[in-house]
Amino acid sequence: MCDKSDELFSKFQRMNDIAMDLENEIRSMSDAGTSNGVDCEDEELTKLVVENQSLKHRLHILNKAIAGYKTTVGEVKVNSQFSILNHLTDIFRDALSRLYDGEFVDNVTMAATNNAKFGDYQFNSAMTIAKIFKDRGIGKNPREIAMEVMKELRQSEIVEKFEVAGAGFINIFLKRECVAGLIKSILVDGVQAPCMARKRVVVDFSSPNVAKEMHVGHLRSTIIGDSICRLLEFFNHDVLRINHIGDWGTQFGMLIAHLQDTFPDYAKKSASISDLQAFYKESKKRFDTEEDFKARAYACVVKLQAGDKEIIKAWQDICDVSRRDFQVIYDRLGVKIIERGESFYQQRMVAIVEELTKGKFLEEDDGRKIMWSSENSGENRGIPLTIVKSDGGYTYDTSDMAAIKQRIVEEKVDWLIYVTDSGQATHFQTIFACSERTGLINKEIHRVDHVGFGVVLGEDGKKFKTRSGDTVKLTALLDEGLQRSLAKLKEKGRHEQLTPEELKIAQEAVTYGCIKYADLSHNRISDYVFSFDQMLDDKGNTAVYLLYAYTRIKSIARNCAEHFKLSNDLVQATTIDLDHEKEWNLAKVLFRFGDVLLKLSKDFLLNHLCDFTYEIATAFADFYDKCYCIEKNKAGEIIKINHSRVLLAEATARVLEKCFHILGIGLVEKM
């Protein structure tokens, strides 16, 4: 269960936001009344003032309830759901609220420290508050503010002590027994996600086009989108993984016409197209050079849109070939996704155009019907959506508007996420704004995110392509990865230590894990260089290094399996000692798991999870080098097991497993 104080403070924040909105509305009405010569004490303004005063009174009571709860609570439940940053932030917000009558609660900044003498966490907002005071003409130095805040801090069950340091920092030292409690909770209850209100979410990702090869852009969208889904599913959201594929449009006319010529008996049995990409190129060449063929292609489009049975059969055959090719990629990458192509929205597009027309949202423009994201006229209206083309056809804008309506009205989602390249950012900003204008999206209810990403570059710094300049086929890319990873494993002599089955598992885990991790470990907004040599390096922040770290941890459990059986009774009976510096550092890193995930849920910058996973691995390496878990004699026989350290190693493995799962990296216990 979530901490009650967190729930109270969330309620406090919501009410505070309402109060601030009311305050702004009162000011705006008052200013408008004064400028227009209207009496500001009109009935509506008076009503708002009374409502605001009532709300402030309720806020005061709620704030006291928060403070009272924190004073009387006997024990803070510390487990992997727990957010140490949220807990400490609440403590300091509470102090600032009482000290400065509700001011500065949004100015709290907190950070973990890397130096033991500065504590485990540090409050460093006194400088910001001092600057605000200075701007008001009030002279208060940061240290003076820090001392005042210190006096108002309430004790926490997980904090050993607070101390003012330097120019105005407050160092925070955690109780080691509370952090040790986290280790036990991981082993008894498992690794759990921080509490979050459950939402129904659509994640729109991958989105290849039928009859075209999936390229590295689709790879990025697929990898990032899958990890976002895994993250949100871990938070227990109801996630719809949607693949909005391009399976409709004029290009299908030429594909169907070419199919009729190439496989004249397609209506009786499915066409055996072995290379759909080559098939597409052939049909495109004919479309560009043969006028008769072009006319037939357009006729096929008309029949397709009219639902002609034979033409629909041809269209389905073509889509099925692509669908099988796509599924091979998804299966190899371990990605689950539900197809919802452009064809799914055809009738819904008719409906959305009718609604936008009735709502008078559309304007005529050289035969087109366009929609602006704002009712305001002027030069800064941005780029309009083209809802209906001059020839009466629909566009991606139309299908995206229809998709939003279907997802909100039919699927009843609360949260829409689109994972595409950053070049489409303006398009989605406009789509979201237009949907908000029509009332489809209500920002009080719905959250919408465009998760953009940069392009993949080759090692020459140019857009990633083959030497001939063609798009790199994903199947060929994955095959090359398998060959390289196997060569790397054999270079390390792993084929002599592993069974053929174990070697195959390791090979696939390394290949797909490296490709995913290389992508996710870079800031998704930036371009990144695709290099097998870098991603297969077993040193530094790579999937190979992380997988080796994980297999090392699992080897500890294997080595002491005959003498040590993990059970809840053993966990409860064992005192987790964190006296050694390396034990404490490792445990503190694990303690931050919840905070890392909460940050990811806001910005979807998965490189932070990669950095955190690497930090776990390096902290474990330091721990493993300095703290023995198993003691052996000269004959290699186990003579002593440090239960506390073995349990700490097992907890580390479990957190790593959850990080790997979210990143889509397969587990391998021997490598």
Side-chain angles (χ1 to χ4, degrees):
M1 294 295 291
C2 292
D3 192 313
K4 179 67 175 175
S5 63
D6 289 339
E7 294 177 18
L8 284 170
F9 201 86
S10 294
K11 188 175 180 182
F12 172 83
Q13 286 179 300
R14 289 195 299 273
M15 289 177 67
N16 192 49
D17 289 341
I18 296 169
M20 289 176 66
D21 289 342
L22 269 173
E23 192 85 54
N24 291 333
E25 191 171 348
I26 290 167
R27 284 201 191 99
S28 124
M29 287 183 66
S30 179
D31 292 343
T34 303
S35 63
N36 294 324
V38 179
D39 184 1
C40 292
E41 296 299 324
D42 62 21
E43 186 178 344
E44 188 178 354
L45 185 57
T46 302
K47 182 181 176 183
L48 284 173
V49 171
V50 171
E51 186 180 347
N52 197 34
Q53 287 173 341
S54 171
L55 191 57
K56 283 184 175 179
H57 178 66
R58 289 166 63 197
L59 280 167
H60 178 68
I61 294 171
L62 184 59
N63 199 26
K64 286 180 69 176
I66 293 170
Y69 181 82
K70 289 177 179 177
T71 304
T72 58
V73 67
E75 183 181 354
V76 176
K77 179 147 179 81
V78 177
N79 57 20
S80 57
Q81 290 181 307
F82 181 73
S83 168
I84 180 62
L85 276 180
N86 281 356
H87 180 74
L88 294 176
T89 299
D90 286 353
I91 290 173
F92 280 86
R93 278 177 170 169
D94 173 50
L96 289 171
S97 179
R98 286 182 285 105
L99 181 61
Y100 298 118
D101 195 25
E103 274 202 279
F104 307 122
V105 292
D106 293 327
N107 293 101
V108 175
T109 55
M110 201 78 56
T113 63
N114 295 320
N115 191 325
K117 74 176 184 179
F118 298 134
D120 303 308
Y121 285 83
Q122 193 174 75
F123 168 80
N124 49 23
S125 304
M127 285 74 174
T128 302
I129 295 170
K131 185 178 184 307
I132 294 171
F133 276 129
K134 183 179 179 181
D135 293 341
R136 297 176 183 174
I138 302 171
K140 271 182 177 285
N141 67 57
R143 189 173 177 87
E144 181 185 352
I145 292 169
M147 295 296 291
E148 290 177 348
V149 172
M150 264 282 290
K151 291 176 184 177
E152 294 293 332
L153 291 174
R154 299 187 187 274
Q155 288 303 307
S156 163
E157 290 295 313
I158 67 167
V159 176
E160 185 69 44
K161 65 176 179 177
F162 300 100
E163 68 177 23
V164 175
F169 300 102
I170 298 179
N171 296 336
I172 304 154
F173 296 81
L174 303 180
K175 288 183 179 178
R176 299 200 176 200
E177 59 268 29
C178 284
V179 179
L182 165 71
I183 305 304
K184 285 195 173 185
S185 78
I186 289 172
L187 297 169
V188 174
D189 303 321
V191 182
Q192 301 175 50
C195 288
M196 186 180 288
R198 194 168 192 259
K199 294 183 181 295
R200 186 162 169 80
V201 191
V202 160
V203 183
D204 185 321
F205 67 107
S206 194
S207 305
N209 291 314
V210 167
K212 293 184 180 179
E213 290 281 357
M214 286 180 72
H215 54 69
V216 288
H218 297 123
L219 180 65
R220 289 214 78 182
S221 178
T222 303
I223 290 171
I224 295 168
D226 179 54
S227 284
I228 289 172
C229 291
R230 289 167 179 265
L231 172 70
L232 297 178
E233 287 159 354
F234 182 51
F235 273 111
N236 198 35
H237 292 303
D238 181 11
V239 180
L240 288 172
R241 298 158 158 258
I242 298 298
N243 196 6
H244 188 101
I245 68 168
D247 69 344
W248 201 258
T250 55
Q251 74 272 22
F252 282 92
M254 66 183 193
L255 287 165
I256 292 168
H258 190 52
L259 184 79
Q260 290 173 330
D261 294 341
T262 312
F263 299 96
D265 59 345
Y266 74 90
K268 296 178 182 177
K269 62 179 182 179
S270 296
S272 55
I273 305 172
S274 58
D275 189 339
L276 191 56
Q277 180 76 0
F279 188 87
Y280 178 88
K281 288 180 179 179
E282 290 167 6
S283 65
K284 183 68 170 68
K285 182 179 179 181
R286 293 185 67 189
F287 185 82
D288 292 338
T289 58
E290 301 175 23
E291 288 302 319
D292 288 347
F293 180 82
K294 180 183 285 190
R296 282 176 51 215
Y298 281 129
C300 287
V301 173
V302 173
K303 290 180 181 179
L304 176 65
Q305 293 171 342
D308 180 280
K309 287 185 179 180
E310 282 198 9
I311 297 298
I312 289 290
K313 170 70 167 55
W315 169 75
Q316 288 174 336
D317 284 352
I318 292 167
C319 290
D320 284 345
V321 175
S322 260
R323 194 173 287 119
R324 288 194 295 270
D325 290 345
F326 297 158
Q327 196 58 49
V328 169
I329 300 290
Y330 296 138
D331 287 345
R332 292 177 73 170
L333 294 175
V335 173
K336 294 179 181 178
I337 196 164
I338 299 169
E339 183 183 304
R340 286 265 180 84
E342 292 283 336
S343 58
F344 178 82
Y345 300 101
Q346 291 307 298
Q347 292 306 311
R348 291 170 174 83
M349 284 195 270
V350 175
I352 197 74
V353 171
E354 289 177 356
E355 289 179 29
L356 294 176
T357 303
K358 285 180 183 177
K360 298 182 179 179
F361 293 109
L362 303 183
E363 296 179 16
E364 293 286 340
D365 180 70
D366 290 336
R368 299 183 303 157
K369 289 184 180 180
I370 63 171
M371 179 179 178
W372 297 96
S373 58
S374 170
E375 295 180 16
N376 301 325
S377 59
E379 295 181 0
N380 298 321
R381 299 180 76 183
I383 301 171
L385 298 182
T386 298
I387 301 299
V388 182
K389 296 189 293 184
S390 57
D391 63 3
Y394 298 144
T395 68
Y396 289 125
D397 295 344
T398 327
S399 62
D400 280 339
M401 288 292 289
I404 285 180
K405 183 188 174 185
Q406 190 274 335
R407 292 164 184 182
I408 289 175
V409 175
E410 296 179 41
E411 302 287 0
K412 302 190 184 310
V413 301
D414 314 292
W415 193 352
L416 297 165
I417 300 171
Y418 293 81
V419 185
T420 75
D421 64 273
S422 296
Q424 298 187 51
T426 302
H427 167 73
F428 282 105
Q429 287 168 8
T430 308
I431 289 288
F432 297 156
C434 286
S435 299
E436 192 177 352
R437 184 185 167 199
T438 64
L440 268 177
I441 290 176
N442 179 348
K443 283 194 173 178
E444 296 296 319
I445 301 171
H446 306 113
R447 174 176 167 181
V448 292
D449 289 288
H450 173 241
V451 180
F453 54 81
V455 300
V456 182
L457 305 176
E459 294 186 73
D460 58 0
K462 298 178 181 178
K463 209 165 182 178
F464 192 55
K465 291 185 180 293
T466 64
R467 290 180 180 176
S468 62
D470 292 332
T471 301
V472 177
K473 292 185 178 182
L474 289 195
T475 49
L477 191 71
L478 298 180
D479 288 343
E480 183 180 352
L482 284 171
Q483 292 171 5
R484 285 175 175 255
S485 63
L486 181 60
K488 191 79 173 179
L489 288 166
K490 287 183 174 180
E491 182 185 313
K492 297 282 185 181
R494 304 305 181 194
H495 61 298
E496 298 172 354
Q497 302 168 8
L498 302 175
T499 66
E501 184 181 352
E502 288 171 341
L503 184 63
K504 186 174 185 296
I505 292 171
Q507 177 193 16
E508 291 180 352
V510 169
T511 300
Y512 305 134
C514 284
I515 290 172
K516 291 179 180 182
Y517 194 82
D519 189 314
L520 298 173
S521 62
H522 290 83
N523 185 319
R524 61 171 168 77
I525 299 168
S526 305
D527 301 341
Y528 92 94
V529 174
F530 190 98
S531 168
F532 274 123
D533 289 338
Q534 290 180 13
M535 63 179 68
L536 288 169
D537 193 344
D538 57 6
K539 297 180 180 64
N541 190 4
T542 66
V544 181
Y545 174 80
L546 297 177
L547 287 167
Y548 274 127
Y550 177 75
T551 57
R552 177 184 283 183
I553 299 172
K554 299 309 288 184
S555 71
I556 294 172
R558 285 196 302 273
N559 286 337
C560 62
E562 293 181 11
H563 310 271
F564 179 94
K565 186 175 181 181
L566 184 64
S567 67
N568 285 353
D569 289 342
L570 176 66
V571 173
Q572 298 293 359
T574 303
T575 299
I576 304 294
D577 294 317
L578 302 174
D579 297 328
H580 194 285
E581 175 195 1
K582 301 303 181 183
E583 294 172 324
W584 178 235
N585 287 343
L586 175 57
K588 281 197 300 177
V589 173
L590 300 181
F591 202 35
R592 290 177 29 232
F593 176 72
D595 290 321
V596 172
L597 293 197
L598 286 171
K599 185 180 187 309
L600 288 183
S601 71
K602 295 174 184 174
D603 60 23
F604 297 124
L605 293 172
L606 290 149
N607 55 297
H608 294 303
L609 180 58
C610 294
D611 292 341
F612 175 69
T613 308
Y614 179 61
E615 192 175 352
I616 294 174
T618 53
F620 176 80
D622 289 344
F623 157 78
Y624 188 79
D625 288 344
K626 301 294 182 182
C627 306
Y628 76 84
C629 295
I630 302 168
E631 193 172 339
K632 297 181 179 180
N633 60 22
K634 292 182 179 179
E637 300 168 330
I638 294 176
I639 57 173
K640 185 177 180 182
I641 296 175
N642 187 310
H643 287 181
S644 171
R645 289 174 178 172
V646 172
L647 292 181
L648 178 58
E650 179 61 27
T652 303
R654 294 191 184 183
V655 176
L656 274 177
E657 285 166 10
K658 190 55 65 178
C659 293
F660 285 172
H661 173 75
I662 294 170
L663 296 170
I665 298 174
L667 295 178
V668 54
E669 297 198 2
K670 291 183 179 181
M671 197 169 83

